[in-house]
């Protein structure tokens, strides 16, 4: 039996197109030498500590390659390519890459000295602008050296179809929750024979021809498959009905629903989580509400920079995970959480970018989010094709394109938001100092936002269309300005 892409994975795969990409990732930052002079007593204390505990392995390019080679056994798809079936007779299949070359996927890059955060973001922007090579496994990783004070970074880039259904992104695969390096037993991997186009076509036809027989047997034997078929039809109409409901209350026109180029920009910003929690407690709302209000204020400042008269409208519509409404003001710091999730139920809410008062803006954000998280008109399941169970690719591809067209009208900006803080992470024993999500930006969108809580900070990652938002550094400044407005308001 062919290892076929699931309907949702196939939709993600076919969502790529001209000027659109469906990959995402993360930026992991590691501190370098601060350059400060050390006292003799501190050096002696450090020497004693090191005598008791050996230094972690060197995190250089060869070390990173060895780590990934050891961990690939946890994510077999990262050695597989997507093979399409001739004539679109079925969804594509996962097949071993017979020419798998890990050095193609893991790359080394450097920044001009001194490497600033702006230099790093410019490199991330260029990497995320390039589509992945579809003839190879759909992921890349970069070890980026040359940051200020000897620091460095790791950038991961994975196609969404690798992660749909609960798969791990490569940044999560290489990280440990403890400094000790978890080394797996040696994995001897040999690629299987590549499937031939004829065998794939015959297999697809065989699967299609088997379905009528299964249906007849189920009707005669009474094993309930007819009921499942009825459920399939009903489920498809329910999904279509939910989309129609959302489209009757479609998102307001916005620059955020335009696409100016296929070039991406990435920018990041962080604010202290403790102070955000104080703002939430003072205003009797959640940390997630404050995060959303900061995003709202940042978008307001950006829209004012494009239209000083404020003719851009009162609201921007955002889609975010339904789980974001379950986070309290004081979330547990040690709660386990992944930082890239793709299959959560979502809801659509309005961000009051037309409101000038930051506290009123926060109150409106919290009130609207609470209301719409309970509304059947605003809540939808994870993204999936309209005709998800159909195996024939012409229908699946049409479903993906139809979803992209209809989904574009439902909201202006997607927000990927974690619900609890991420515990400390280590790569080869080296602690990650900062972590930012790089959200995917699909066709018809000018901005996507990723939010995660890590190491006492809330990190915002923004992927934007350079044709619409050509200066990503402005977004960083606007986040800080929006945060300070909330912190200073009483």
């Amino acid at each position: 039996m062919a290892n076929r892409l699931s309907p949702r994975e196939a939709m993600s795969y076919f969502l790529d197109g001209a000027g659109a990409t469906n990959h995402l990732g993360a930026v992991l930052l590691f501190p370098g030498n601060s350059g400060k002079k050390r006292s003799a007593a501190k050096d002696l204390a450090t020497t004693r500590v090191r005598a008791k505990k050996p230094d972690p392995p060197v995190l250089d390019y060869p070390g990173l390659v060895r780590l990934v080679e050891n961990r690939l056994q946890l994510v077999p798809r990262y050695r597989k390519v997507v093979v399409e079936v001739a004539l679109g007779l079925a969804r594509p299949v996962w097949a071993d890459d017979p020419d798998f070359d890990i050095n193609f996927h893991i790359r080394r890059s450097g920044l001009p000295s001194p490497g600033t955060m702006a230099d790093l973001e410019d490199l991330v922007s260029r990497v995320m602008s390039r589509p992945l090579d579809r003839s190879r496994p759909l992921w890349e990783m970069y070890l980026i050296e040359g940051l200020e004070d000897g620091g460095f970074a790791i950038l991961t880039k994975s196609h969404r179809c690798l992660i749909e259904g609960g798969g791990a992104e490569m940044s999560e695969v290489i990280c440990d929750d403890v400094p000790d390096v978890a080394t797996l037993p040696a994995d001897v991997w040999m690629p299987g024979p590549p499937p031939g186009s004829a065998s794939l076509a015959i297999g697809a036809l065989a699967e299609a021809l088997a379905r009528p027989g299964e249906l007849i047997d189920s009707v005669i034997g009474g094993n309930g498959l007819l009921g499942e078929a009825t459920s399939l039809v009903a489920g498809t109409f329910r999904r279509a009905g939910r989309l129609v409901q959302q489209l009757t209350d479609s998102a307001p026109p916005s620059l955020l629903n335009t696409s100016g180029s296929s070039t991406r920009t990435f920018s990041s910003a962080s604010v202290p989580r403790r102070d955000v929690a104080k703002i939430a407690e003072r205003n009797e709302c959640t940390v997630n509400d404050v995060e959303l209000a900061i995003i709202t204020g940042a978008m307001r400042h950006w829209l004012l920079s494009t239209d000083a008269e404020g003719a851009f409208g009162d609201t921007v519509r955002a889609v975010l995970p339904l789980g974001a409404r379950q986070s309290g003001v004081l979330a547990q710091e040690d709660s386990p959480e992944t930082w890239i999730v793709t299959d959560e139920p979502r809801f659509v809410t309005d961000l009051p970018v037309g409101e000038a008062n930051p506290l009123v803006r926060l109150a409106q954000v919290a009130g609207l989010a609470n209301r719409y998280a309970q509304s059947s008109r605003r809540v939808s399941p994870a993204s999936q094709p309209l005709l998800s169970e159909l195996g024939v690719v012409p229908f699946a591809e049409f479903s993906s394109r139809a979803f992209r067209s209809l989904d574009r009208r439902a909201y202006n900006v997607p927000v990927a938001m974690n619900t609890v803080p991420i515990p400390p992470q280590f790569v080869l024993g080296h602690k990650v100092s900062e972590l930012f999500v790089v959200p995917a930006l699909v066709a018809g969108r000018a901005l996507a936002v990723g939010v995660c809580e890590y190491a006492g900070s809330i990190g915002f990652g923004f992927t934007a269309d350079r044709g619409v938002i050509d200066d990503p550094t402005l977004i960083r400044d606007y986040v800080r300005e929006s945060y300070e407005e909330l912190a200073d308001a009483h």
Side-chain angles (χ1 to χ4, degrees):
M1 179 69 68
N3 184 11
R4 206 170 299 285
L5 273 68
S6 72
R8 188 179 297 167
E9 292 162 358
M11 185 190 73
S12 293
Y13 179 77
F14 285 112
L15 274 174
D16 278 350
T21 53
N22 207 14
H23 53 246
L24 40 72
V27 176
L28 313 178
L29 294 174
F30 299 84
N33 186 355
S34 64
K36 296 180 180 180
K37 293 184 178 180
R38 301 163 58 88
S39 67
K42 191 170 184 179
D43 287 338
L44 178 60
T46 302
T47 302
R48 288 174 178 170
V49 170
R50 287 181 176 176
K52 296 178 182 178
K53 185 175 181 180
D55 290 336
V58 176
L59 183 46
D60 55 9
Y61 181 79
L64 184 59
V65 170
R66 287 193 296 270
L67 174 66
V68 175
E69 282 183 316
N70 183 249
R71 301 276 174 97
L72 280 176
Q73 56 189 295
L74 300 175
V75 280
R77 286 184 180 177
Y78 283 74
R79 286 194 183 115
K80 296 182 181 292
V81 295
V82 176
V83 181
E84 297 184 29
V85 180
L87 304 178
L89 294 173
R91 295 189 303 272
V93 300
W94 298 104
D96 290 342
D97 181 5
D99 302 313
F100 181 76
D101 180 5
I102 196 169
N103 292 296
F104 172 85
H105 296 277
I106 305 178
R107 306 173 186 184
R108 186 178 181 181
S109 186
L111 300 175
S113 181
T116 64
M117 194 64 187
D119 294 326
L120 174 62
E121 291 173 349
D122 182 64
L123 176 58
V124 173
S125 300
R126 286 185 276 117
V127 170
M128 300 307 287
S129 296
R130 297 193 295 262
L132 290 159
D133 185 347
R134 288 202 170 198
S135 67
R136 298 176 181 269
L138 298 171
W139 66 278
E140 295 172 1
M141 178 182 293
Y142 293 78
L143 176 63
I144 304 171
E145 300 167 320
L147 283 170
E148 293 175 306
D149 298 327
F152 60 97
I154 293 176
L155 167 65
T156 59
K157 174 182 172 182
S158 306
H159 198 284
R160 187 163 176 157
C161 69
L162 290 169
I163 308 167
E164 291 287 2
E169 206 274 329
M170 185 54 76
S171 60
E172 300 168 328
V173 175
I174 64 175
C175 283
D176 298 305
D177 291 340
V178 295
D180 296 332
V181 183
T183 303
L184 303 175
D187 175 39
V188 179
W189 178 80
M190 295 294 291
S197 57
S199 64
L200 286 176
I202 293 173
L205 289 172
E207 288 183 25
L209 291 173
R211 294 187 190 111
E214 292 173 357
L215 183 60
I216 293 172
D217 291 342
S218 66
V219 172
I220 296 175
N223 61 10
L225 189 58
L226 183 59
E228 293 178 11
T230 304
S231 176
L232 159 62
V233 175
T236 299
F237 277 106
R238 281 196 301 270
R239 281 192 294 277
R242 279 192 290 265
L243 266 179
V244 170
Q245 278 188 335
Q246 291 187 7
L247 291 175
T248 58
D249 187 21
S250 60
S254 172
L255 287 173
L256 298 171
N257 281 88
T258 59
S259 180
S261 72
S262 60
T263 306
R264 305 291 179 246
T265 62
F266 174 75
S267 58
S268 62
S270 61
V271 297
R273 186 193 186 279
R274 178 179 298 178
D275 293 344
V276 169
K278 290 179 180 178
I279 296 172
E281 290 176 320
R282 190 167 63 238
N283 292 276
E284 299 181 348
C285 61
T286 69
V287 167
N288 291 140
D289 290 329
V290 181
E291 294 170 350
L292 207 55
I294 291 173
I295 294 170
T296 305
M299 286 196 293
R300 170 180 167 79
H301 291 305
W302 173 73
L303 289 167
L304 283 172
S305 72
T306 64
D307 181 4
E309 296 182 357
F312 45 78
D314 293 332
T315 62
V316 163
R317 186 154 297 175
V319 61
L320 60 151
L322 190 59
R325 304 313 308 154
Q326 302 170 355
S327 178
V329 174
L330 299 175
Q332 295 296 320
E333 294 289 342
D334 58 351
S335 300
E337 176 78 351
T338 58
W339 46 90
I340 294 185
V341 181
T342 61
D343 58 350
E344 288 184 302
R346 310 180 304 168
F347 76 101
V348 177
T349 188
D350 295 324
L351 307 181
V353 294
E355 175 56 55
N357 186 305
L359 291 184
V360 175
R361 198 159 58 226
L362 173 58
Q364 290 179 351
V365 163
L368 290 171
N370 284 331
R371 180 198 308 172
Y372 291 139
Q374 308 298 322
S375 170
S376 61
R377 293 178 61 89
R378 294 297 187 102
V379 175
S380 64
S383 303
Q384 54 187 306
L386 297 178
L387 305 175
S388 60
E389 287 78 2
L390 291 180
V392 184
V393 166
F395 288 100
E397 187 172 5
F398 169 79
S399 176
S400 297
R401 292 178 178 176
F403 174 86
R404 181 165 58 196
S405 177
L406 295 174
D407 196 52
R408 183 182 306 175
R409 295 176 52 193
Y411 60 89
N412 303 119
V413 59
V415 179
M417 181 177 289
N418 287 79
T419 57
V420 296
I422 301 166
Q425 298 295 306
F426 301 84
V427 179
L428 282 178
H430 296 259
K431 187 175 182 180
V432 178
S433 60
E434 294 183 81
L435 191 157
F436 297 99
V437 171
V438 184
L441 187 65
V442 298
R445 296 284 186 269
L447 182 68
V449 186
V451 186
C452 63
E453 300 180 19
Y454 179 76
S457 295
I458 296 175
F460 298 85
F462 299 88
T463 303
D465 185 325
R466 187 180 293 276
V468 181
I469 304 175
D470 58 353
D471 188 355
T473 61
L474 290 176
I475 298 180
R476 183 191 311 115
D477 296 338
Y478 294 152
V479 166
R480 191 71 191 180
E481 189 173 347
S482 178
Y483 157 74
E484 289 174 352
E485 287 176 344
L486 289 168
D488 295 339
H490 292 90

